[in-house]
Amino acid sequence: MFRLLNVEGRAALEHDGHWHDLATASGDPSLADPMAAVARFAELHAVQASLADRVPEGAVEPSTLGPCVPRPAKVFAIGLNYRTHAAESNMELPPVPMVFTKFPSCLVGPTADVVLSGPTVDWEVELVVAIGVGGRHIPASQAWGHVAGLTLGQDISDRMVQMSGKPPQFSMGKSFDTFGPIGPALVSVDSFPDPDDVELWCDVAGERMQHSRTNDLIFGVPDTIAYLSSICTLEAGDIIFTGTPSGVGGARGRFLKDGELIESGAAVIGTLANRCIAAPTAG
Ligand code: ZN
């Protein structure tokens, strides 16, 4: 088991509410980069197990955390992947995963501000998968063995931009800077009682908006990895936003406003707290 953090750009492991610099704790300077740590996730179990006897660098301070996977080569996201969310969006259930991308420059840490691009910016809490062992044509039965860990994400979406193409192309409306908070930690798969059934939720301005479990996914993690790897070679560090359950703002006619706090949580993984701020006006 391990909990991998990005503390001000350096890989760290979390133990008992405190953080340990990974390069220092392991004695291997090449593990300082969080992307190297993701690719070498199999080695992290042993380092984590050694931490009980080590003096930590300090208590985990959420505001110092960056995105636990900061520079993925690819960021996949799956649309309409919960039956309830497809229904509230008045969309048919997809026959294959409905895939779009979020460009990696949108990724931010677990307490970063979300800069609102307009009046129709929406929340989407999601389980996020980080690939640790790349490959092509990965069978669903072997897919979990390719996963470095799981984290939590917000697939922040500007609905107007998302739907403005004919036909709509989702990627730009979901790729504004700050539209991809992830964290707080990348948690090893063996930390979960059942990695195919993770509880997650989202509160906006103190109101519970989303609450579901990933056992309601139409295409679960194994099927999603099998599908993506049938087309693209997956690489260590690639991440997948797996889709959001029902309860988004678009279905409520209620979008994010300046000053509102988006609080997201998932069992075992932890929480995100992202403040919405209005984009500075040009001039
Ligand atoms: Zn989404």
Side-chain angles (χ1 to χ4, degrees):
M1 294 192 195
F2 62 81
R3 293 180 65 86
L4 176 65
L5 302 173
N6 171 350
V7 178
E8 294 179 327
R10 287 180 68 88
L13 292 174
E14 179 181 359
H15 174 75
D16 205 16
H18 290 71
W19 65 278
H20 297 254
D21 185 79
L22 178 59
T24 310
S26 65
D28 184 345
S30 65
L31 282 172
D33 181 349
M35 297 307 296
V38 173
R40 292 168 58 187
F41 72 99
E43 302 170 41
L44 304 185
H45 299 272
V47 184
Q48 180 90 43
S50 74
L51 297 179
D53 300 326
R54 186 178 181 277
V55 178
E57 267 65 48
V60 174
E61 172 50 56
S63 66
T64 66
L65 300 180
C68 49
V69 186
R71 300 184 313 282
K74 300 191 280 305
V75 180
F76 297 102
I78 313 299
L80 305 173
N81 204 15
Y82 287 80
R83 288 172 181 81
T84 50
H85 177 55
E88 76 177 355
S89 304
N90 294 312
M91 301 273 201
E92 288 179 35
L93 294 187
V96 295
M98 199 282 267
V99 183
F100 56 92
T101 189
K102 291 173 78 73
F103 292 98
S105 48
C106 78
L107 297 174
V108 289
T111 67
D113 290 340
V114 168
V115 181
L116 301 177
S117 52
T120 62
V121 179
D122 205 345
W123 57 87
E124 295 193 351
V125 68
E126 308 198 4
L127 183 76
V128 175
V129 176
I131 298 296
V133 179
R136 182 90 200 277
H137 300 299
I138 298 168
S141 62
Q142 294 174 22
W144 276 117
H146 288 257
V147 175
L150 300 176
T151 191
L152 183 64
Q154 270 287 345
D155 175 19
I156 301 290
S157 306
D158 184 318
R159 299 300 184 201
M160 208 127 65
V161 176
Q162 177 187 346
M163 303 307 288
S164 61
K166 293 196 184 316
Q169 301 290 323
F170 287 7
S171 297
M172 297 312 289
K174 289 166 171 278
S175 289
F176 284 88
D177 282 6
T178 74
F179 275 21
I182 60 170
L186 186 70
V187 181
S188 63
V189 176
D190 65 354
S191 302
F192 294 82
D194 178 355
D196 290 301
D197 184 19
V198 180
E199 182 183 17
L200 72 175
W201 60 92
C202 172
D203 298 345
V204 177
E207 181 182 351
R208 178 61 44 94
M209 297 296 190
Q210 297 182 280
H211 188 189
S212 189
R213 312 183 66 91
T214 59
N215 67 358
D216 286 331
L217 284 166
I218 298 169
F219 299 99
V221 172
D223 287 338
T224 298
I225 289 174
Y227 178 74
L228 295 173
S229 71
S230 76
I231 296 171
C232 302
T233 296
L234 299 184
E235 301 162 275
D238 287 349
I239 64 173
I240 306 164
F241 283 71
T242 56
T244 202
S246 63
V248 300
R252 302 168 183 264
R254 186 253 193 256
F255 296 102
L256 293 165
K257 296 191 279 285
D258 186 17
E260 286 186 325
L261 185 64
I262 312 164
E263 295 174 284
S264 317
V268 181
I269 299 169
T271 58
L272 313 174
N274 302 101
R275 182 75 62 185
C276 299
I277 60 171
T281 48

